[in-house]
Amino acid sequence: MKKAYIFPGQGAQFVGMGKDLYDTDPQCRDMFERANEIIGFRITDLMFAGTPEDLKQTKVTQPAIFLHSVILAAHLGDRFRPDMVGGHSLGEFSALVAAGAMSFDDGLRLVIARANAMQKCCELRPSTMAAIVKLADDVVEQVCAEITAAGEVVVAANYNTPGQLVISGTLEGVAQACEKCKELKGRALPLAVGGAFHSPLMEPARVELAQAIEHTEFHAPICPCYQNVCALPVSDPAEIKQNLNKQLTSPVRWTATVQHMVADGAAEFIEVGPGTALQGMVKRIAPEANAYSAEA
């Protein structure tokens, strides 16, 4: 029975995240303090006692989720024995660090670079995302293709579960796609995000992040890492790097990732980090699998 450790992405943050680790484990406290130094401000103050608004700032949200996830994995010590790892969007960076594909410091620096590049991209051109439910993926893809062909930008961004696909694009493109999907008897739920993540509109951020990735040292991980771009297990550092370079402008293939993990023997999925969103997705994708949170 194989274990898959999975790491959440943006949206899982909450006030108080990681405080128990800081208060009870000296190793975790050292890692948090190291992060404060690298980031240049006390992110721990915002994580432990800030406001929900504080945590919604992209420059805070992404490193906060990364830190909670990676430091929890470190806290698990010998209990962290993955046969495979994967992460949803931002969570892929957490997974790679937890599996030893890059150092804690380098991973945090990349996450900071990613957050800053994405923030700049969001300010460059207003854009958004929406969740489409109760429609087949190919139907939503066709809607997006038709609207994009007519001059707007809207694409499939997150394949979360069968029957739940997040779309991403210009404000008008997403609005048109939502209306069309409603006409086709689907439901459209606008997301409170700052931009069109995992779409062509993130190209300037992808280019900026690619430079940071190029100057980061990658290693062979302790187990296969299932990456967002391909949904397949990868262990070669050069291939990991190549896939990471494409992540910001490519869809998150989470449904296929979980399906491939199950096909490769995963029977237990342990979510490492804030929230329980990925467990819910796993249960909808693979009801036969056991999914639960890592216990500190």
Side-chain angles (χ1 to χ4, degrees), residues 27-45:
Q27 178 200 5
C28 294
R29 190 178 308 122
D30 288 346
M31 292 176 77
F32 275 120
E33 289 299 343
R34 174 72 182 148
N36 285 332
E37 288 176 21
I38 291 171
I39 293 171
F41 64 89
R42 291 193 63 79
I43 193 171
T44 49
D45 291 350

Side-chain angles (χ1 to χ4, degrees), residues 3 32 40 55 78 82 112 116 128 138-139 148 152 155-156 160 170 184 196 200 230 258 281:
K3 291 184 178 181
F32 275 120
L55 289 182
D78 290 343
I112 294 165
N116 291 339
T128 192
D138 60 344
V139 172
T148 298
E152 288 295 337
V155 297
N160 284 339
T170 58
L184 295 169
C230 58
V258 173
M281 292 182 198

Side-chain angles (χ1 to χ4, degrees), residues 8-289:
Q10 203 162 335
Q13 69 275 4
F14 64 90
V15 175
M17 58 193 289
K19 190 174 188 303
D20 53 340
L21 297 170
Y22 185 96
D23 289 343
T24 60
D25 186 328
Q27 178 200 5
C28 294
R29 190 178 308 122
D30 288 346
M31 292 176 77
F32 275 120
E33 289 299 343
R34 174 72 182 148
N36 285 332
E37 288 176 21
I38 291 171
I39 293 171
F41 64 89
R42 291 193 63 79
I43 193 171
T44 49
D45 291 350
L46 301 180
M47 290 173 67
F48 303 162
T51 67
E53 287 306 311
D54 290 332
L55 289 182
K56 280 182 185 173
Q57 300 174 73
T58 301
K59 69 173 185 178
V60 176
T61 310
Q62 294 195 26
I65 292 168
F66 168 85
L67 289 173
H68 186 260
S69 300
V70 170
I71 292 174
L72 175 55
H75 171 78
L76 293 174
D78 290 343
R79 289 180 288 154
F80 183 70
R81 294 179 181 174
D83 294 297
M84 56 191 82
V85 296
H88 190 287
S89 190
L90 166 70
E92 185 172 313
F93 290 78
S94 308
L96 289 168
V97 170
M102 56 179 156
S103 71
F104 172 72
D105 287 17
D106 284 347
L108 178 55
R109 288 191 179 99
L110 276 189
V111 167
I112 294 165
R114 182 182 191 266
N116 291 339
M118 289 171 75
Q119 184 63 44
K120 277 189 262 182
C121 226
C122 293
E123 292 164 3
L124 207 61
R125 187 175 182 186
S127 53
T128 192
M129 303 175 80
I132 307 297
V133 295
K134 297 188 176 178
L135 288 179
D137 290 348
D138 60 344
V139 172
V140 181
E141 289 166 350
Q142 182 60 33
V143 167
C144 291
E146 288 172 3
I147 293 169
T148 298
E152 288 295 337
V153 176
V154 60
V155 297
N158 299 345
Y159 292 81
N160 284 339
T161 65
Q164 190 201 103
L165 177 53
V166 173
I167 60 173
S168 183
T170 58
L171 297 180
E172 182 60 25
V174 171
Q176 288 181 22
C178 287
E179 285 308 308
K180 184 64 179 172
C181 287
K182 287 176 189 173
E183 289 172 15
L184 295 169
K185 309 300 182 190
R187 288 180 62 209
L189 310 167
L191 300 182
V193 295
F197 308 147
H198 300 287
S199 84
L201 298 179
M202 284 286 123
E203 179 60 16
R206 187 202 66 75
V207 171
E208 188 173 327
L209 182 60
Q211 293 176 345
I213 290 171
E214 193 52 44
H215 293 97
T216 299
E217 187 176 356
F218 285 78
H219 314 278
I222 60 173
C223 64
C225 299
Y226 287 67
Q227 291 192 270
N228 289 182
V229 170
C230 58
L232 296 171
V234 183
S235 294
D236 175 57
E239 194 178 346
I240 288 173
K241 207 169 181 175
Q242 191 176 30
N243 287 334
L244 213 52
N245 270 327
K246 301 173 187 171
Q247 198 220 46
L248 276 183
T249 52
S250 301
V252 176
R253 301 189 178 280
W254 190 250
T255 299
T257 295
V258 173
Q259 289 169 339
H260 286 138
M261 285 177 155
V262 170
D264 292 341
E268 287 190 51
F269 288 78
I270 302 100
E271 186 165 3
V272 188
T276 58
L278 296 187
Q279 296 163 57
M281 292 182 198
V282 167
K283 287 169 184 172
R284 288 195 289 277
I285 298 165
E288 72 280 10

